[in-house]
Amino acid sequence: MDIFHMTDIISMLGLPFPAHGRSSYYVQCPCCDDNARQRHLNINLKKEVFRCPKCGISGGMFDLYALYTGIPRDKVRSELIKKAGSPDKTAVRQQKILAAQPVVEECPITDVETRHATYSALLARLSLSPDHRRNLHNRGLTDDDIERFGYKTTPVMGTTAIARQLQSEGCYLAGVPGFYRTEDNAWSFVNEKRGILIPVRDTNGYIQGLQIRRDDCNKRKFRWVSSAEKKDGCRAEGWTHFVGPLRPLVVLTEGPMKSDVIHALTGLTVLAVPGVNALTQLRLTLEILRNNGLEEIKTAFDMDFLTNWHVQSGYANLLSLLNDMGFKFGTYIWDPKYKGLDDYVYALVSKNNRPDKKPNE
């Protein structure tokens, strides 16, 4: 009987193995990463699955082989037997090493009401640094906007004490991405790179999860707050973000911070996906909005969708989804020297009303 493991697949595909002691790691995504320096595709050797949080592609070991080779999924097993005969010795050795490693048990994600309550209590204990407040001002947000959206600076110390205080207030931490147990079994919150915490909200205004806009970072500036691969931790999902009242027309863009800025400057109702290729959660949100009167969608993705073929591919899939769901839709186009609609609108606002401000490019 032939038995293959994920380690066999990555060996045959020539993909790198993880650093010693790790079972979950990232490689270049063949669907949405432009070069080898970008690594969004997560491979989990313990669970023998893969997933890209950016474009949403996912599956098991045979799906991974099909993705890289173009071979139909139902032909992969016979192709592997024909090509390899039996699992590669190196891959088998890697599998034995992984089997000897302790399994880190994660928590299943809890309900959104519980996450909202815990995240709200967490954010209430945090503050916003002066440099982060200036950054948000330079995007066109007022102090009232900042307070309403709930932006805070990431905690850089005392995370275990914060978790203990939240527990004492009755907050539930298990299954809330970002929280996990330390080696001494105490609850804590992940100590991330310094940046701005961004609440990501559903159509009811509940905080589903948190993103971080990381300081001094050119690659993957926006990241989800997640405690995956940690004891009793929990991974984040690619949630959508909704801001504004329920209306028949909604603007669809990329990124929760961008959508907040567009809403603050225009008053429009805005829905954001984590990326133009990350549509996993979008259909669910659109079904909810359609039941509440949504009729038309105007897309407003960064202007590089006109030249970036990775973005164009995801954009085509998006339009197909909107068409299949029966929505009227169109696209906003603006001066391409402004990357995002938020930049363009702020430039107009600054020119007409606030000459002391400059667009945040």
Side-chain angles (χ1 to χ4, degrees):
M1 179 180 179
D2 56 284
I3 300 176
F4 291 96
H5 295 285
M6 183 64 88
T7 46
D8 305 312
I9 304 303
I10 63 175
S11 178
M12 282 186 266
L13 292 174
L15 297 176
F17 280 94
H20 179 70
R22 295 189 63 85
S23 62
S24 177
Y25 67 112
Y26 289 86
V27 299
Q28 181 183 1
C29 178
C31 297
C32 64
D33 286 336
D34 294 323
N35 55 66
R37 293 183 178 180
Q38 296 177 319
R39 297 183 179 90
H40 287 104
L41 187 74
N42 177 264
I43 298 177
N44 191 308
L45 301 182
K46 281 284 188 182
K47 298 180 180 179
E48 301 199 317
V49 295
F50 72 92
R51 180 177 180 273
C52 176
K54 183 179 179 182
C55 68
I57 191 74
S58 63
M61 67 182 83
F62 287 1
D63 299 294
L64 184 67
Y65 191 86
L67 175 65
Y68 275 87
T69 64
I71 295 174
R73 171 64 171 74
D74 59 352
K75 304 292 185 183
V76 169
R77 180 175 175 274
S78 58
E79 174 68 17
L80 292 176
I81 296 173
K82 177 182 177 182
K83 181 176 180 180
S86 60
D88 180 84
K89 292 181 179 179
T90 301
V92 170
R93 185 168 61 253
Q94 287 281 346
Q95 190 69 27
K96 289 180 178 179
I97 293 173
L98 289 169
Q101 296 172 357
V103 177
V104 177
E105 293 293 339
E106 298 177 7
C107 288
I109 195 163
T110 191
D111 61 274
V112 67
E113 290 86 358
T114 300
R115 279 179 275 144
H116 172 74
T118 299
Y119 284 138
S120 297
L122 168 67
L123 294 172
R125 291 189 170 276
L126 304 179
S127 60
L128 185 68
S129 68
D131 62 313
H132 286 159
R133 187 172 296 276
R134 285 193 300 271
N135 181 288
L136 295 170
H137 284 164
N138 289 336
R139 295 172 183 273
L141 297 181
T142 65
D143 287 330
D144 287 342
D145 294 328
I146 294 169
E147 181 69 22
R148 175 162 55 103
F149 296 140
Y151 295 121
K152 296 296 175 68
T153 296
T154 53
V156 295
M157 59 190 305
T159 52
T160 301
I162 291 174
R164 184 167 57 249
Q165 291 167 350
L166 294 176
Q167 278 188 295
S168 70
E169 296 173 1
C171 292
Y172 191 78
L173 306 185
V176 180
F179 290 94
Y180 69 99
R181 290 186 189 272
T182 62
E183 292 183 359
D184 59 2
N185 217 36
W187 280 103
S188 188
F189 187 73
V190 290
N191 193 346
E192 289 278 0
K193 183 179 177 68
R194 186 178 184 273
I196 302 174
L197 280 174
I198 309 165
V200 178
R201 301 178 186 271
D202 68 5
T203 55
N204 293 314
Y206 291 145
I207 303 175
Q208 307 180 84
L210 300 173
Q211 275 197 352
I212 302 175
R213 183 192 181 276
R214 300 187 296 171
D215 296 347
D216 303 321
C217 180
N218 295 323
K219 301 289 185 179
R220 299 184 67 191
K221 184 179 289 290
F222 291 88
R223 295 191 62 177
W224 288 102
V225 171
S226 173
S227 47
E229 297 293 316
K230 294 181 179 293
K231 182 181 179 182
D232 287 335
C234 183
R235 65 185 64 248
E237 299 180 8
W239 293 292
T240 59
H241 175 66
F242 187 83
V243 56
L246 293 169
R247 287 173 171 157
L249 186 145
V250 162
V251 175
L252 180 62
T253 190
E254 176 181 353
M257 180 178 284
K258 186 185 301 292
S259 64
D260 285 344
V261 173
I262 294 172
H263 170 71
L265 294 176
T266 67
L268 294 170
T269 299
V270 188
L271 174 64
V273 290
V276 70
N277 289 289
L279 306 180
T280 306
Q281 297 281 333
L282 180 60
R283 180 184 287 273
L284 299 175
T285 303
L286 290 178
E287 289 175 350
I288 294 172
L289 292 175
R290 181 169 56 187
N291 293 335
N292 285 276
L294 177 62
E295 300 174 355
E296 185 175 2
I297 296 169
K298 294 292 189 182
T299 64
F301 291 96
D302 288 354
M303 290 299 286
D304 62 359
F305 88 92
L306 296 173
T307 57
N308 187 323
W309 71 270
H310 286 296
V311 176
Q312 289 174 349
S313 176
Y315 186 70
N317 293 333
L318 168 64
L319 296 186
S320 178
L321 171 63
L322 299 181
N323 184 65
D324 291 344
M325 296 187 72
F327 288 111
K328 294 186 292 184
F329 57 88
T331 300
Y332 284 142
I333 300 293
W334 55 90
D335 188 338
K337 75 177 182 179
Y338 301 100
K339 183 179 180 182
L341 181 58
D342 55 333
D343 300 324
Y344 176 65
V345 172
Y346 184 44
L348 295 181
V349 171
S350 301
K351 180 179 179 180
N352 295 330
N353 301 320
R354 301 173 69 181
D356 59 312
K357 295 289 185 179
K358 297 181 180 179
N360 184 61
E361 298 185 25

